[in-house]
Every structure is written in C-alpha cells, then in structure tokens.
C-alpha cells in the first residue's frame, strides 16, 4: 500500500485527533475574542463598511470589512430577569412526561425531536446555573432523561429518528403517529444535542458514564462525509443521504460535532459557500447554495444567536451575526416596526415557518422549507429578542424585549412572539423558545455555555 493510500485510510483517525484539538482551540479562541470585544469601546457601526465591502475582492475580505458589534458586559440578573427565567422554566414544569422525563416540543403535544431534547437539556442546565432548581431536581431530571434516551429506538439502529412520541419513546411521524420505519436522522438536530452532552460530560462527572454509554450506541461517524454533515430521509422506502446545513446553521453544527472529534472541519468554514445580499444598506450573509427544493437559501437569527450563547463567537461568526442583527435594528429605525425574525412555531396553519432577514430571493421573506411564502405571518420572535439582547445589549434590544412583556404567561411560559400584521400574540408555546430564553438569561450572568466548560 502506498504512502498516499495510507494517509487516505488514516484520514478519519487523524481528523478525530485534530478535531478534538481544534475544538478546544476554537472554544479557547472564541473566549479570547469575546473578552477583547467586551472591553472594546462602544460605538455605532461604521457607515463606510458597505463601501469597503463593495471594493473587497474575496469573501474573506468582505467578512473582514464588517465591523464587529460590541458584546454586552456580563452581570448578575435583575429581579425582573429572574422572574422572566422562572416563567420560562414553567414551560418545562408543565410539559415533562412523568415517566420518561423528556419534554414536549410544543405545549401539551407529546412529540419531540432530538433538537428539542437538546434545547430542553440546555434549558435545564441554565435553570440550574441560575438557581431556579435545586440539586435533587436537576440531577433527577438529567438522570431520567439520559436513561430514557438510552432506551429509545434508533433509525435503522444507527442514530435518533427525526421525531419521537415523548410518552413511548417510539419513532413517529411529525404528526406524532407511530412510524416503525422512521423518517431518517437530522445531522443538525444531533449536533445541537451534542452541545449539552459535551457540557454534561465535562461538568457533571457523575453523569459522564451515562452520556458515554448513550453515545456509544450512536453511529456518530455517519453524520459526516469528507468534512460535510449528512442527514438521511426515506424516499420510496429507501434511505437516502443528503448534505445538511447552510451558512450559520452549518458552522454551529460543525462546532458541536468537532467537540466529539468528528470530521466537520470543512463544514465549519462559512467562506466556502458565502455570499452577501443587501438588505437596506446592510450586507447580510447568505448561503449561495439552493435549498433541497431548489429555492434560495435564507438568513435568520437562530443559528447566530445559538452560536453566541453556546460557544461564544469566533471572529468570523461575530461579524456575520453583527450584520444579521443590524439589518433587523435598521428595519425598526426605518419603519418603526419592532423586528426580530427567526424560525419557530406559529399558532395558525402551517404552524411552523422561517421568518428571515433575507430568503427566497427577497428581504424579510417568511417561508417554509418547500419554498412557499407566507409573509403575512411574519412575527416578532421572543427567543430572538432575548438572544440578541443577551449578546449585544443595545438600546434597541432592551426596548424590543420590553415590548414583549405581555407574552409572558406565569402559568405556562413565554409565547413564541407577536404577529406584525395586527400586533396579536403568536400564542404558541414551545420548548425551544423557552430554552433559548433561559440560555439567554444565563448568558447575561455567566457568558457562553461552553466557555464555562473550559473552567471559567
């Protein structure tokens, strides 16, 4: 066998080691970036940035031309913020199955995904760090969830299915009907779940063995191929693989996978598939690839908010996030309409949409993954508002969060948002939104989740 062939064969082993090392470097590096920018002088975005970007020849130069936002200073929560966090925790008190100790993805709807389970665990960790729950409840919930996860069915015996019945742990359709064949797995969903798994292993050693036992059963290596993330779907009863992730989501997922030594190094590079679309006078980062249905990719708040809350920004993700945020603040300044867009549940059909800064070829599009448009359902996202406020803490984000005060139900949790068209509440309640609110409030006091993992 030639030297070259040996190198190719050894790629996965070399990448496993390199991934572990680079993951540690990434976390330490984003910590340095975060702290230096917290200490940076306050200021408004440079008005020259769009002109500088227009002159830049390469994508890397365009990214470098974006002035990074200053990060909010860390501080203890106010009494009002602690109340906000307790209201978010109420969702989980109401929606935990008493037998499996897993949580409904939406209020009173006994279905979940591995993404939502990851969100629940981050919410649980956040509630514990904030002192909302005590040791007994935290460790009891965590132990019960890990035991249940260890016993649930896997798609083709390899990785978690895209949906489960919370009560039975059986694979289901998105309509929560039993589905013995399964829908396939989502690489991005699993990646999000790996974030709390990594945190738990490093901070709660009494649960580390259960995490290792669980993940040993999962074929994590199947999530990546030649540096890219791949999920599966079932078509004509056959399992088909397809690349997952677009700019923002892809880099967030890659960071999570690299924590476990997976070869997601290429997926971590936003520059590979990055273009910019002008929304007003802000250059918004958008993936230059199409979605699976052939429609244009989109940019929205969630992956950037999660990247900042969970990992802390690196120099590239901070610049990209800064312009995704700036476009939303600028829309408010231009129109007087509070703007915070993200994916999420809505209280009317089709019940889940992607509200974007740019999508489907237009600014402020509201769409589904099949490319269909429903801009009349644009809403102000509660989780995006809390996330941006935790990360940047501007006068605008403070006013934005305050404008949503009436969406807090002390008996149920935080609603998803408010419809722009008539100002009525988007009354859906979800695991993901209430988890992000908890994570955002924990960030205000402690900083990025994974920085704490490194011993700070």
């Amino acid at each position: 066998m030639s030297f070259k062939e040996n190198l190719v064969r050894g790629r996965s082993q070399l990448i496993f080691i390199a991934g572990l090392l680079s993951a540690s470097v990434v976390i330490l590096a984003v910590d340095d970036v975060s702290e230096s920018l917290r200490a940076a002088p306050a200021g408004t975005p440079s008005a020259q940035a769009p002109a500088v970007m227009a002159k830049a020849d390469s994508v890397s130069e365009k990214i470098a031309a974006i002035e990074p936002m200053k990060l909010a200073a860390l501080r203890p929560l106010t009494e009002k913020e602690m109340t906000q966090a307790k209201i978010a925790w109420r969702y989980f008190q109401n929606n935990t199955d008493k037998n499996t100790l897993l949580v409904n993805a939406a209020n009173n709807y006994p279905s979940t995904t591995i993404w939502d389970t990851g969100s629940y665990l981050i919410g649980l960790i956040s509630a514990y760090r904030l002192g909302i729950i005590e040791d007994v409840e935290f460790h009891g919930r965590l132990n019960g969830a890990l035991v249940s996860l260890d016993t649930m069915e896997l798609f083709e015996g390899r990785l978690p299915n895209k949906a489960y019945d919370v009560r039975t742990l059986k694979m289901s359709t998105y309509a929560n009907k039993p589905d013995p064949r399964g829908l396939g797995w989502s690489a991005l969903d699993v990646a999000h779940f790996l974030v709390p798994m990594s945190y738990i292993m490093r901070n709660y050693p009494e649960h580390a063995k259960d995490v290792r036992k669980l993940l040993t059963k999962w074929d994590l290596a199947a999530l990546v191929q030649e540096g890219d993330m791949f999920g599966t779907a079932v078509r004509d009863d056959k399992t088909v693989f397809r690349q997952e992730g677009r700019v923002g989501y892809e880099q967030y997922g890659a960071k999570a996978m690299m924590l476990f030594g997976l070869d997601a190094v290429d997926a971590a590079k936003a520059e590979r598939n990055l273009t910019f679309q002008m929304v007003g006078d802000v250059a918004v980062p958008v993936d230059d690839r199409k979605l699976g249905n052939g429609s244009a990719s989109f940019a929205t708040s969630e992956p950037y908010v999660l990247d900042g809350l969970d990992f802390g920004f690196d120099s590239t993700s901070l610049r990209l996030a800064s312009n995704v945020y700036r476009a939303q603040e600028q829309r408010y300044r231009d129109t007087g309409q509070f703007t915070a867009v993200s994916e999420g549940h809505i209280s009317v059909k089709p019940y889940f949409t992607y509200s974007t800064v740019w999508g489907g070829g237009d600014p402020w599009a509201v769409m589904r993954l099949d490319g269909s448009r429903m801009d009349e359902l644009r809403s102000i996202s509660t989780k995006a508002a809390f996330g941006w406020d935790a990360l940047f803490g501007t006068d605008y984000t403070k006013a934005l969060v305050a404008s949503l005060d009436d969406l807090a139900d002390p008996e149920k949790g935080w609603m998803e948002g408010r419809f722009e068209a008539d100002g009525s509440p988007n009354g859906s309640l979800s695991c993901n939104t209430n988890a992000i609110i908890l994570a955002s409030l924990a960030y205000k006091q402690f900083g990025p989740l994974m920085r704490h993992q490194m011993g700070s």
Side-chain angles (χ1 to χ4, degrees):
M1 184 178 296
S2 70
F3 176 69
K4 180 178 180 181
E5 288 171 331
N6 276 317
L7 281 179
V8 171
R9 282 180 171 268
R11 185 175 195 265
S12 61
Q13 288 82 3
L14 291 169
I15 282 295
F16 184 89
I17 297 169
L20 288 174
L21 292 172
S22 60
S24 297
V25 170
V26 164
I27 294 169
L28 289 170
V30 296
D31 186 21
D32 290 339
V33 168
S34 298
E35 292 311 309
S36 65
L37 282 161
R38 285 189 214 286
T44 55
S46 170
Q48 295 179 347
V52 174
M53 289 188 69
K55 295 178 182 178
D57 292 328
S58 70
V59 171
S60 295
E61 289 174 340
K62 290 179 184 293
I63 294 171
I66 300 172
E67 181 181 345
M69 293 281 295
K70 179 187 175 183
L71 297 174
L74 304 184
R75 57 169 177 77
L77 296 189
T78 65
E79 183 177 348
K80 179 177 181 179
E81 288 167 336
M82 279 300 300
T83 299
Q84 291 172 334
K86 290 175 181 176
I87 291 172
W89 180 246
R90 174 63 69 180
Y91 175 89
F92 299 98
Q93 291 175 311
N94 293 347
N95 282 278
T96 303
D97 184 89
K98 64 181 180 180
N99 295 315
T100 66
L101 294 187
L102 296 182
V103 169
N104 302 332
N107 190 47
N108 292 328
Y109 185 64
S111 173
T112 192
T113 66
I114 206 68
W115 177 286
D116 289 295
T117 300
S119 293
Y120 161 52
L121 293 175
I122 291 174
L124 175 65
I125 292 166
S126 300
Y128 183 50
R129 296 175 74 194
L130 289 170
I132 294 172
I133 57 175
E134 302 293 335
D135 287 4
V136 172
E137 181 174 4
F138 172 74
H139 291 289
R141 280 177 168 272
L142 181 52
N143 180 69
L146 290 172
V147 168
S148 292
L149 288 162
D150 187 53
T151 60
M152 71 184 184
E153 296 180 306
L154 300 176
F155 178 77
E156 296 183 345
R158 302 179 74 184
L159 286 162
N161 188 50
K162 291 178 181 178
Y164 286 91
D165 189 310
V166 169
R167 302 161 297 186
T168 65
L169 305 181
K170 299 294 185 182
M171 295 189 296
S172 66
T173 65
Y174 287 123
N176 209 32
K177 303 296 183 184
D179 184 11
R181 174 70 173 93
L183 301 171
W185 70 70
S186 166
L188 286 172
D189 284 14
V190 175
H192 181 55
F193 178 82
L194 291 177
V195 174
M197 291 298 99
S198 178
Y199 182 89
I200 290 164
M201 290 179 71
R202 288 161 173 78
N203 287 277
Y204 308 119
E206 61 270 46
H207 298 287
K209 181 179 179 181
D210 290 333
V211 172
R212 285 193 294 269
K213 180 173 179 283
L214 169 67
L215 296 183
T216 297
K217 294 181 177 181
W218 295 9
D219 185 8
L220 294 179
L223 295 168
V224 294
Q225 297 179 22
E226 297 299 319
D228 282 317
M229 295 183 291
F230 276 78
T232 59
V234 176
R235 297 287 181 265
D236 298 324
D237 202 38
K238 294 181 180 179
T239 301
V240 295
F241 283 77
R242 55 189 184 188
Q243 182 271 334
E244 279 191 19
R246 294 296 183 261
V247 167
Y249 287 101
E250 192 172 19
Q251 288 68 56
Y252 172 78
K255 287 179 180 179
M257 290 184 177
M258 288 167 64
L259 290 171
F260 289 85
L262 296 174
D263 179 5
V265 175
D266 290 339
K269 301 172 184 175
E271 298 88 339
R272 294 188 310 158
N273 300 107
L274 182 62
T275 188
F276 289 91
Q277 298 290 339
M278 296 305 297
V279 177
D281 61 358
V282 179
V284 172
V286 179
D287 200 294
D288 63 10
R289 294 167 290 183
K290 302 292 186 182
L291 298 176
N293 58 39
S295 64
S297 297
F298 54 79
T300 192
S301 298
E302 186 142 341
Y304 298 100
V305 166
L306 290 177
D307 189 41
L309 296 178
D310 291 353
F311 294 107
F313 291 118
D314 58 70
S315 60
T316 294
S317 66
L318 176 57
R319 285 176 164 82
L320 300 184
S322 294
N323 272 14
V324 170
Y325 163 77
R326 284 184 178 118
Q328 295 174 74
E329 179 176 345
Q330 188 61 56
R331 181 171 182 259
Y332 166 74
R333 299 197 180 284
D334 289 344
T335 67
Q337 171 64 63
F338 278 116
T339 303
V341 294
S342 195
E343 64 175 81
H345 294 265
I346 56 174
S347 53
V348 296
K349 289 182 179 180
Y351 304 117
F352 196 95
T353 59
Y354 293 81
S355 285
T356 73
V357 177
W358 191 93
D362 295 300
W364 313 115
V366 181
M367 53 193 294
R368 301 186 71 189
L369 288 179
D370 63 6
S372 58
R373 293 279 291 272
M374 43 205 68
D375 295 359
E376 69 279 5
L377 297 178
R378 186 182 305 108
S379 63
I380 308 163
S381 167
T382 312
K383 62 185 174 183
F386 272 88
W388 289 127
D389 186 51
L391 294 164
F392 296 143
T394 65
D395 290 342
Y396 170 66
T397 62
K398 291 179 176 66
L400 176 63
V401 170
S403 76
L404 302 175
D405 276 348
D406 61 310
L407 300 183
D409 185 332
E411 300 303 317
K412 294 182 179 180
W414 284 88
M415 300 179 206
E416 290 288 287
R418 188 189 312 284
F419 290 111
E420 284 190 5
D422 61 5
S424 64
N426 172 8
S428 292
L429 297 114
S430 74
C431 169
N432 199 42
T433 282
N434 283 280
I436 288 177
I437 291 171
L438 278 164
S440 298
L441 293 167
Y443 176 98
K444 283 191 171 188
Q445 183 161 328
F446 304 110
L449 180 71
M450 301 306 282
R451 187 189 70 177
H452 178 261
Q453 162 182 297
M454 301 305 293
S456 64

